[in-house]
Structures are given as structure tokens and as C-alpha cells.
Amino acid sequence: MTQTSDPATMALAVQDLTFHYGRRKALDAVSLAIPAGRTTILLGPNGAGKSTLFSLISGLFAPQAGRIAIAGRDLVRTGAAALAPLGIVFQAQTLDLDLTVQQNLRYFCALRGMARREADARIAEELDQFSMGDRLTDKVRSLNGGHRRRVEIARALLHRPAILLLDEPTVGLDIPTRRDLIARLHERARTDNVALLWATHLIDEVDADDHVIVLHKGAIVAEGQPAALLDKTGADDLGGAFAVLTPEARAA
Amino acid sequence: MNGPSPLRAFGGIARRELLRFLNQRERFFAALVRPLVWLIVFAAGFRAALGLSIIPPYQTYITYEVYIIPGLLGMIQLFNGMQSSLSMVYDQEMGSMRVLLTTPLPRWFLLLSKLMAGVTVSIVQAYAFLVIAILFGIDIPVPGLLPVLPALILAGLMVGALGLLLASVIKQLENFAGVMNFVIFPMFFLSTALYPVWKMQEASAVLAAICEWNPFSQGIELIRFALYGQVNWLALAMTAGSGLVFFLAASWAFDPSRRFRAGRTA
């Protein structure tokens, strides 16, 4: 169930990761491996441990047991420098509301070591990709939720990350915007050879060829392509499979 | 994909602080009005009540307005440090702190950059106040305006580091009001900002001792001596030492292995 490939060849590898909040266990010996160029969906109900896992991978928390290798580099041993290949879209919005879109993105580029000219070129390129090129000088406060989300995703891609972590990136968005983002991000994983790790509890964000990891109560309870999960559970659709794999969550 | 560059990261953090400062012009005016009210209104009243003897670094009798100038510079830095701290708590609540803390650079460097950016803003405010005070006819030694710069930087770093430490332990924006009562006011009023230690000694030996060893007093004395082209070595050591302790404690508190215990992720 938790078998992983060689961490050195994977874009992201997590081995036996365990984490407690005080006496409550949030993650229990979680192991996963994320290859380049593919979308891996981390599917789990609220409270499954998805955000804790992301906080550990992004260095906001330190692991209590287990290891994390980002592009083959151990996060604990290498320190913050190992975070360089990561692009992160947090569940909560993280833009500075009082700055413009351009000021927010330039700030991020500076943190990632990009020179101003290169930064401006990349900002224009990514904003165009997300149809936000004309909002460069707008204050973030004046953008709606969907547009802020697009800016956050564009920001996470500015430094051409090898791995993109998306923590419930479509929360609060309307259906057309969600569909649009889902399609664009799957496409980016394929065209740019980015390893996508997408945490969600929404079944309709899963494509047929995605690799799905089901996280429940801090442990991986199943993984594989959607068809394999249907075979395993005998369900008719992925929603049914998810309900079988996370029974207490559904009852709650 | 670019590698991290400490210089560019610092530039980005400093620019962001400056932009936020420029976006909040009222903050600039508030920062100036506060010490100017003390200088013009309170000092006029206290001048008659508080006689000052000749104490170093002064070589002659001075007016009360001249005495409180270093204290008011310290006040600007103290409030600016707490403003930066408030802004960090806000950033943590709003989530934007995560962008900084997931940067591939050592966390102590990121915190130091944020601290230095805040101090830069406070220096601009301090010099604006000095210029206005000179225009009001306060006898400030103009040659001291240059040597006071490193003292302002060091004192600013010390109170800024205290602000960082507070930001690491305050969980919610609402709790920040308590900081005013338990940190800013005691630190300011139990210092040499408004009266020399010997004046306090007349009232209470205990309060005088607290005043003397208050790190904020040492920062003010560092500024006071620097304005007259002198170095107060004890103040220098105490300001640098306490600033270092505050900064190390803040870096410790912001360490990823301790963050979740404070009930937040960034």
C-alpha cells in the first residue's frame, strides 16, 4: 500500500512520515513517491492530514519521524535550500491585499533569486497563461476570489518549479473557474514535465489517468489510478470508492 | 529555475516593507505626530517641573526639550518595532508569512532581512523627526546627525528583534492590544526617555534600577551619546547583547519544529 520507488529518481519522495499534534496522531508512517510530468491526487476528507503533510513537505513543520526528499535532496539534512524546486499554492490565500498583482509577484521573484528583467518577463508570461495579463497593476484587494487564485497559481509557477504542491486550490471557486483551473494545471504537468501533488476532497478534480492516493485519518488507505480503485472497492464510480475507503468520514 | 540569492531576497523584503509603508501614509504621520506632541506639548509643561543637572554627555545645562530628543527617537523606533510586529502577526493570520517562510533560504536570514527592512523604515522616520525638531529651534548638534545613524540602527534592531519575538508568541491580532499595556508602556516609562535615572532614584531605588537596566534605556543612552559624537560602551554592549538575545529567541520560536506547538503553521 505504501510502497515507494527509489527516492533519488522521484521528484518528491516521502518515507514513513509520522507527525503528532501533542498526543493526537495526524500522520501515521505515510510514504509516497511523486514522479515528474504526472498529476498525483491526494484525496482525503477534511482532517485526513493533507494540510499537515503539505506543511511538512514545504518546511513549515519539521518531521518528527520519517524523511522527505525533494528532487533527491533530503529536506532535514539539506535545510531550506532543498525547497528550491517547490512551487506551492496554499489553501488559504497568501497574497498581500494592499499591494498590486505586479508588486506581489515581483516580491516572490526576488525571494526566489530572479533578476528584475527576468522576473517581469516571467510574470507577463504566467499571467497571460491564466488570462490575468491585464490586471498587473490592480491591487489584489480589488480582485475576486477566482482571480486571486489564478494569481497565486501563476506565482507558484514563476520560478519554473519541478514540483507543484496544490493544497485544495479550487476551494471557494465557482464551477466554470474550477473546471478551467483543473484543465490548465493538468495540461501544465504534461507540457512542462512538472510533478503535481494536488490535495483535494473533491472527486470531480480527478482525471482518469491521474495517480490517486487516498489519505484517511493520517494513513494511506489506497492508491492507484481511478480504475484500479474501482476494481479494489467494487464501486461504480470514484465517489463510491472514496466512500468505501473512508467510511467513518462519510458517516460523520 | 533560479537558485536563492540572499541579496535579491533582502532587496525584495525591503522593497515590500517600503511599499507597505508608502501605502500607509497615515502611519508615517502618526509616527511623527506622537513624538512631536511630546516635544511641543508635554515638554513645555515638564520643563518647569523637572530641573536637570549636568550629566554626561552634556557639558552644560540643557533644556528639557533637548534632554528628551533621544528618548523620542527611541519612541519612534519602539512604536515602529511594535508596528512591524503587528504587521507580522497580521501576515501570519492572513497567510502571507508562509510565502516568506517557504523561501529556500535559512529562516534566521529571512527574519533578519525582515528586521532590517523594518529598521530602515524607522530610520527614515527618525531623521524626519530630527529635521522637524531642528526647524522648531531645538538645540540639536548638527555634526551629531551622522554618528547617531549607527546608534539608531543598533537600537532599532534591538527593539525590532523584541517585536519579532512578540510576533512569534502572539497567536491572534486581537491579543496585540495587551502588548501596548505590558510591553510598550512599561518599556517607555521605565526608561531614561523622559527623565534621567537620578531623578527616578529620588522616587524609588527599585524603579531606578529597573530604569537603568531596561534594554530600551540602554538604546536611548547609546543614541544620546552618539548625538554628541561619543560612545557609551556599556549602552553599546547592552543594546547589542539584548538585541542578539531577542533575535536568537525569535529565531528559535520561528523554528519549524516548534511552530505547530504555537497552534499555527506560519
Side-chain angles (χ1 to χ4, degrees):
Chain A
M1 196 70 73
T2 57
Q3 188 180 6
T4 56
S5 306
D6 179 7
T9 60
M10 285 288 149
L12 174 68
V14 167
Q15 286 181 317
D16 298 324
L17 201 60
T18 299
F19 195 82
H20 295 78
Y21 292 99
R23 299 174 73 176
R24 187 172 70 81
K25 190 177 269 189
L27 289 178
D28 185 8
V30 167
S31 297
L32 49 90
I34 312 296
R38 279 195 71 182
T39 299
T40 302
I41 302 285
L42 188 64
L43 196 61
N46 292 330
K50 302 186 297 292
S51 292
T52 302
L53 178 61
F54 272 41
S55 292
L56 286 159
I57 295 171
S58 56
L60 291 171
F61 292 172
Q64 293 160 346
R67 64 184 291 260
I68 299 164
I70 300 169
R73 295 213 289 176
D74 185 272
L75 179 56
V76 172
R77 257 183 284 159
T78 310
L83 300 172
L86 285 186
I88 309 166
V89 178
F90 295 100
Q91 189 177 345
Q93 84 94 28
T94 56
L95 294 165
D96 190 325
L97 300 179
D98 295 320
L99 299 185
T100 65
V101 170
Q102 185 181 47
Q103 287 165 347
N104 267 284
L105 300 187
R106 279 182 172 169
Y107 168 62
F108 179 82
C109 288
L111 291 178
R112 294 292 172 149
M114 293 163 76
R116 174 62 69 89
R117 186 177 293 181
E118 182 195 5
D120 283 351
R122 287 289 299 136
I123 289 168
E125 204 176 318
E126 285 300 340
L127 286 180
D128 280 347
Q129 287 277 320
F130 289 93
S131 312
M132 290 294 293
D134 58 339
R135 309 301 299 269
L136 197 63
T137 54
D138 288 0
K139 284 249 170 90
V140 169
R141 195 178 287 283
S142 71
L143 303 182
N144 64 36
H147 287 165
R148 288 181 193 180
R149 203 38 124 180
R150 287 179 193 211
V151 173
E152 295 216 46
I153 295 170
R155 180 182 63 185
L157 290 162
L158 285 171
H159 58 300
R160 300 183 198 281
I163 305 142
L164 184 60
L165 303 181
L166 300 147
D167 190 2
E168 310 224 14
T170 62
V171 164
L173 302 184
D174 57 40
I175 292 171
T177 309
R178 278 184 59 210
R179 283 194 186 131
D180 179 51
L181 280 179
I182 292 164
R184 282 172 195 259
L185 287 166
H186 277 84
E187 177 66 15
R188 285 298 287 268
R190 283 187 291 270
T191 56
D192 294 0
N193 202 34
V194 177
L196 232 69
L197 179 59
W198 183 315
T200 185
H201 62 275
L202 302 169
I203 304 295
D204 63 345
E205 295 187 349
V206 183
D207 268 6
D209 57 350
D210 287 344
H211 184 77
V212 180
I213 296 172
V214 182
L215 191 68
H216 184 44
K217 293 185 174 177
I220 293 175
V221 293
E223 66 175 299
Q225 288 196 295
L229 296 182
L230 299 187
D231 284 348
K232 179 185 167 77
T233 57
D236 295 331
D237 56 31
L238 196 54
F242 185 52
V244 170
L245 292 166
T246 61
E248 295 90 342
R250 191 173 175 83
Chain B
M1 194 177 64
N2 291 69
S5 157
L7 200 62
R8 285 199 179 122
F10 172 70
I13 293 167
R15 261 194 306 278
R16 179 174 182 263
E17 286 296 315
L18 205 62
L19 283 169
R20 284 169 68 100
F21 179 67
L22 293 174
N23 282 342
Q24 302 168 343
R25 287 183 192 87
E26 61 278 10
R27 183 178 147 195
F28 181 72
F29 291 111
L32 285 180
V33 165
R34 200 179 298 116
L36 284 172
V37 166
W38 277 95
L39 184 65
I40 295 158
V41 182
F42 286 88
F46 286 146
R47 179 162 39 172
L50 292 169
L52 295 174
S53 63
I54 300 173
I55 51 167
Y58 308 110
Q59 292 176 335
T60 180
Y61 287 102
I62 51 160
T63 62
Y64 185 63
E65 286 91 335
V66 171
Y67 177 80
I68 63 168
I69 287 290
L72 297 181
L73 289 170
M75 175 196 252
I76 289 172
Q77 296 200 298
L78 184 62
F79 274 83
N80 190 76
M82 294 309 123
Q83 179 78 35
S84 298
S85 168
L86 179 66
S87 144
M88 277 185 80
V89 175
Y90 177 81
D91 279 356
Q92 286 176 120
E93 279 212 329
M94 294 296 112
S96 47
M97 193 71 182
R98 293 177 193 198
V99 176
L100 181 71
L101 296 181
T102 53
T103 300
L105 287 166
R107 195 158 285 195
W108 66 263
F109 174 80
L110 297 169
L111 293 175
L112 185 63
S113 297
K114 197 148 176 67
L115 179 58
M116 287 171 72
V119 172
T120 307
V121 168
S122 81
I123 300 287
V124 174
Q125 294 169 344
Y127 273 96
F129 169 74
L130 281 170
V131 169
I132 294 171
I134 290 169
L135 293 176
F136 266 105
I138 310 295
D139 186 17
I140 294 170
V142 176
L145 294 182
L146 191 62
V148 81
L149 178 61
L152 285 170
I153 293 172
L154 199 59
L157 286 172
M158 188 266 289
V159 291
L162 176 64
L164 265 187
L165 181 58
L166 291 171
S168 72
V169 294
I170 296 169
K171 291 178 190 169
Q172 288 171 323
L173 214 50
E174 293 77 27
N175 298 344
F176 208 82
V179 172
M180 290 293 289
N181 295 327
F182 293 107
V183 179
I184 295 183
F185 290 151
M187 228 174 165
F188 184 70
F189 289 109
L190 286 172
S191 76
T192 56
L194 301 178
Y195 16 74
V197 172
W198 68 265
K199 271 279 179 197
M200 190 63 101
Q201 190 81 43
E202 289 175 354
S204 159
V206 175
L207 287 181
I210 295 172
C211 250
E212 191 158 12
W213 295 105
N214 176 355
F216 184 62
S217 290
Q218 300 298 332
I220 289 169
E221 292 314 303
L222 186 68
I223 293 169
R224 191 186 308 284
F225 277 73
L227 259 179
Y228 291 85
Q230 298 174 42
V231 180
N232 181 328
W233 293 104
L234 174 66
L236 176 65
M238 288 273 295
T239 307
S242 50
L244 186 65
V245 169
F246 293 148
F247 182 72
L248 290 175
S251 298
W252 181 83
F254 271 101
D255 185 275
S257 61
R258 271 169 283 277
R259 294 302 288 160
F260 78 93
R261 289 181 202 146
R264 59 178 173 235
T265 57

